[in-house]
Amino acid sequence: MDHPVRVRFAPSPTGPLHIGGVRTALFNWLYARHTGGKFILRIEDTDQARYVPGSIELITDGLRWLGLDWDEGPEVGGEYGPYIQSERTALYRQWADWLVDQGKAYRCYCTSERLDNLRKSGVQGYDLHCRTLSTEDRAAHEANGDSYVIRFKMPLDGQTTVHDLIRGDITVENSTLTDLVLLKSDGFPTYHLANVVDDHFMEISHILRAEEWIPTAPVHRQLYDAFGWEMPAIAHLPVILNPNGRGKLSKRTVGFTEDGRSVPVRLNEFREAGYLPEAIVNFLTNIGWSFGEDREVFSVAETIERFDLSRINPAGGKFPLEKLDWLNGVYVREMATDKLVALLGERLAAAGYRVDQAKLVELLPLIRPRVQRLDDVIEKAGFFFVDAVHPTLNDLIQKQMDAADTQRALQEAYDLVAGTDDFSAEGLEVALRTLSDELGLKTSQFFGLLRVALTAQQVAPPLFETMVILGREACLARIQAAQALLVDTPV
RNA sequence: GCCCCAUUCGUCUAGUGGCCCAGGACGUGGCCCUCUCAAGGCCAAAACAGCGGUUCGAGUCCGCUAUGGGGCACCA
């Protein structure tokens, strides 16, 4: 039992990685890195019907983006390859045939129509029809060239127990197990066969997979026993549930929170929404596992040092999206300036803004605590990178003010901004506060109308710093534009 | 329907029989700061699903019930 640790993540190439799969990959990776073992990526593409071209690239790109590197697998190779199941079909066939030769499996000639009818009549599993075929009937089918599948002979009585590293023993009555298909009529293996054969020949030491696989664990135990192979240690990770409490998130295309907000499910959706890989990793680590010491925020290095199976919580949980938002904000606040500038610059550029890098560096302190997801930069700083803004009259005119008051205040502000010698945040603040008093306005009114004039937003970063970064000319132009708006619009 | 897994604040979790009239975090509410919004600081409300056992003692062990989830394919 003291094999070197070799764990694997074995997704099917049916599209982009979903967040549940990412969490499974992450835990496997953490376990490998913690133990100094190997993390293997294996592609389980045995269902030709569900194969989506390009999926493998999507999966590898996603893992790399998160920083989950694999020691063996597609693109990196390894001694146990190939790591794509469709390239290993001869192996599966060989071992399926071996089981038939040993009398532990059999050819089943049942048509899909017969199987459908069986299911419709309420039969669970397979009715063992071909298990008990006479030698003559079998020969007849062969002579006829009938297509067949290979089914496993499940024990009819007794019990099967599998030890789960985080749940303890799981025991089922063998009578509830069925003669599952190992090799399909198209010559491809089913998940069960391919998985067991590969885990054995790739010398996988620990299987860490999602909870939804628990029912197949006893089935796989039987398969290992039939082959006479040692079964890897196994642990089933809790599933991540949809926040609205209906079903697991992993399988859904869209999840929803209680207030109806849609929850991203695929990894690329998180990426597009402006979540950082570091935040996603930290976040996912906190679902079903906890760092301890009452800590919620920790680095990957710290996690690797501490990660172990004994701290895994067996209960499934809902996806706490709000916590991800918060955590992403934490990482945004801690990120190195040049890196953050690059990321935010990309977002702005993608949204069509002409980004001035130097200006972005300058204004970063203003928006950093206000950005949670990278996309927020557009709302917080977009107005810095346009030639003109377009406030509405309604936003411009503050509470308890009319157009004439507003016009006068703007004119005074214009004169001040145009004439002041001290165009610094401190200087502007002192001068504008004084002016606000002289005009008999509350600062919330005066600063509010200036904010709208300069940014076309009611909510924006601090006013005076904003003015400095905007520059005197831009400020004057925008104040003038606001004045023009007041004149041009009939009251 | 059958089988399996789980069950601590709204949510993610700590808790491995006495340190728990249950700790942290997100979220929520209040206060402070304040030119708006954040960030930050302080404070507050908020949970051991229920019932039986075992034990001197149970959130922690056992059973039943309830609830949630998963699985019952020539899909993984």
Side-chain angles (χ1 to χ4, degrees):
Chain A
M1 294 304 276
D2 50 351
H3 305 292
V5 169
R6 292 176 55 81
V7 293
R8 46 59 170 186
F9 175 54
S12 293
T14 54
L17 238 25
H18 61 69
I19 202 70
V22 170
R23 207 275 303 262
T24 301
L26 174 63
F27 277 30
N28 274 281
W29 181 83
L30 286 170
Y31 190 63
R33 294 296 169 259
H34 173 76
T35 56
K38 300 285 188 204
F39 176 60
I40 293 136
L41 178 62
R42 184 173 75 217
I43 303 297
E44 307 213 330
D45 60 340
T46 57
D47 185 3
Q48 296 174 297
R50 293 206 312 159
Y51 176 71
V52 176
S55 297
I56 297 179
E57 289 71 26
L58 244 29
I59 289 166
T60 55
D61 285 354
L63 291 177
R64 258 197 275 268
W65 180 64
L66 289 169
L68 307 186
D69 55 326
W70 52 104
D71 303 300
E72 297 172 26
E75 299 172 16
V76 303
E79 293 172 38
Y80 299 80
Y83 294 90
I84 296 179
Q85 288 186 330
S86 58
E87 297 171 13
R88 300 168 65 82
T89 51
L91 224 211
Y92 309 127
R93 158 122 247 156
Q94 175 193 335
W95 284 97
D97 286 341
W98 184 86
L99 283 176
V100 173
D101 291 345
Q102 297 291 309
K104 294 174 175 177
Y106 58 93
R107 292 185 178 188
C108 167
Y109 306 93
C110 290
T111 61
S112 50
E113 290 74 36
R114 192 181 112 74
L115 262 19
D116 282 346
N117 289 333
L118 218 55
R119 216 163 295 129
K120 277 177 197 145
S121 66
V123 175
Q124 292 294 314
Y126 180 59
D127 68 352
L128 311 186
H129 178 262
C130 293
R131 179 164 171 165
T132 53
L133 236 39
S134 67
T135 320
E136 294 75 40
D137 288 340
R138 207 168 281 285
H141 275 116
E142 290 297 327
N144 218 13
D146 290 344
S147 77
Y148 62 87
V149 301
I150 292 181
R151 282 186 188 272
F152 184 67
K153 273 189 194 171
M154 201 57 80
L156 272 8
D157 49 29
Q159 299 179 322
T160 302
T161 296
V162 177
H163 182 74
D164 183 295
L165 260 21
I166 60 188
R167 286 159 212 273
D169 286 345
I170 295 168
T171 301
V172 297
E173 296 294 329
N174 291 340
S175 58
T176 65
L177 270 22
T178 186
D179 281 9
L180 76 171
V181 173
L182 298 177
L183 202 72
K184 303 182 236 182
S185 55
D186 65 1
F188 275 81
T190 59
Y191 164 76
H192 307 286
L193 208 221
N195 199 263
V196 166
V197 168
D198 283 350
D199 281 349
H200 176 256
F201 286 105
M202 292 182 182
E203 295 180 25
I204 298 302
S205 65
H206 295 72
I207 299 171
L208 270 42
R209 35 130 81 149
E211 186 181 0
E212 66 211 69
W213 294 107
I214 290 177
T216 68
V219 170
H220 291 187
R221 154 107 280 150
Q222 285 297 334
L223 242 24
Y224 279 99
D225 289 351
F227 282 124
W229 298 337
E230 186 184 349
M231 185 172 175
I234 191 163
H236 291 92
L237 274 19
V239 288
I240 301 177
L241 272 18
N242 198 355
N244 68 10
R246 260 172 256 133
K248 59 177 181 177
L249 186 66
S250 357
K251 234 182 191 175
R252 310 216 145 199
T253 25
V254 219
F256 291 98
T257 58
E258 275 161 13
D259 58 5
R261 173 147 84 117
S262 79
V263 179
V265 174
R266 300 182 184 87
L267 184 61
N268 56 312
E269 292 166 352
F270 284 90
R271 188 173 181 173
E272 284 153 19
Y275 291 104
L276 300 167
E278 305 90 309
I280 292 174
V281 166
N282 192 152
F283 168 77
L284 252 21
T285 309
N286 265 328
I287 303 178
W289 187 82
S290 60
F291 188 85
E293 296 174 13
D294 290 342
R295 282 185 58 191
E296 308 283 331
V297 182
F298 35 80
S299 69
V300 174
E302 289 174 307
T303 310
I304 288 172
E305 193 183 333
R306 199 173 249 266
F307 188 81
D308 71 283
L309 269 20
S310 68
R311 292 189 72 82
I312 293 179
N313 179 349
K318 296 176 185 177
F319 191 90
L321 218 218
E322 287 166 330
K323 215 160 178 176
L324 207 212
D325 288 337
W326 164 75
L327 202 51
N328 208 65
V330 170
Y331 278 89
V332 165
R333 271 166 256 142
E334 288 178 354
M335 181 175 277
T337 297
D338 53 349
K339 193 173 166 192
L340 186 56
V341 165
L343 289 173
L344 295 179
E346 280 172 24
R347 292 278 155 169
L348 285 165
Y353 292 91
R354 286 203 324 273
V355 184
D356 174 337
Q357 291 288 319
K359 197 189 268 191
L360 190 50
V361 172
E362 198 182 349
L363 65 81
L364 192 68
L366 297 189
I367 63 166
R368 197 197 269 270
R370 294 172 171 79
V371 170
Q372 262 191 342
R373 294 184 293 108
L374 263 17
D375 268 355
D376 294 340
V377 70
I378 289 161
E379 181 196 322
K380 307 297 178 193
F383 62 85
F384 280 109
F385 303 102
V386 292
D387 293 331
V389 293
H390 304 284
T392 66
L393 206 55
N394 198 42
D395 284 347
L396 194 60
I397 299 174
Q398 302 294 299
K399 283 198 184 99
Q400 282 140 30
M401 291 181 75
D402 58 23
D405 299 335
T406 306
Q407 184 64 270
R408 188 171 64 247
L410 283 171
Q411 185 57 48
E412 293 286 344
Y414 183 92
D415 293 343
L416 189 155
V417 170
T420 186
D421 293 328
D422 185 4
F423 196 76
S424 68
E426 301 73 26
L428 286 168
E429 176 161 8
V430 171
L432 287 167
R433 275 184 191 283
T434 306
L435 179 55
S436 182
D437 285 347
E438 287 168 7
L439 290 166
L441 295 172
K442 293 182 207 157
T443 51
S444 61
Q445 292 174 306
F446 188 45
F447 296 163
L449 72 87
L450 281 178
R451 168 172 297 108
V452 173
L454 296 172
T455 70
Q457 296 174 186
Q458 292 182 299
V459 173
L463 185 60
F464 315 111
E465 288 84 348
T466 295
M467 290 175 74
V468 171
I469 294 169
L470 233 28
R472 194 193 301 256
E473 293 313 311
C475 288
L476 291 174
R478 289 183 189 193
I479 292 172
Q480 233 167 17
Q483 288 181 289
L485 178 71
L486 282 166
V487 172
D488 293 348
T489 313
V491 180

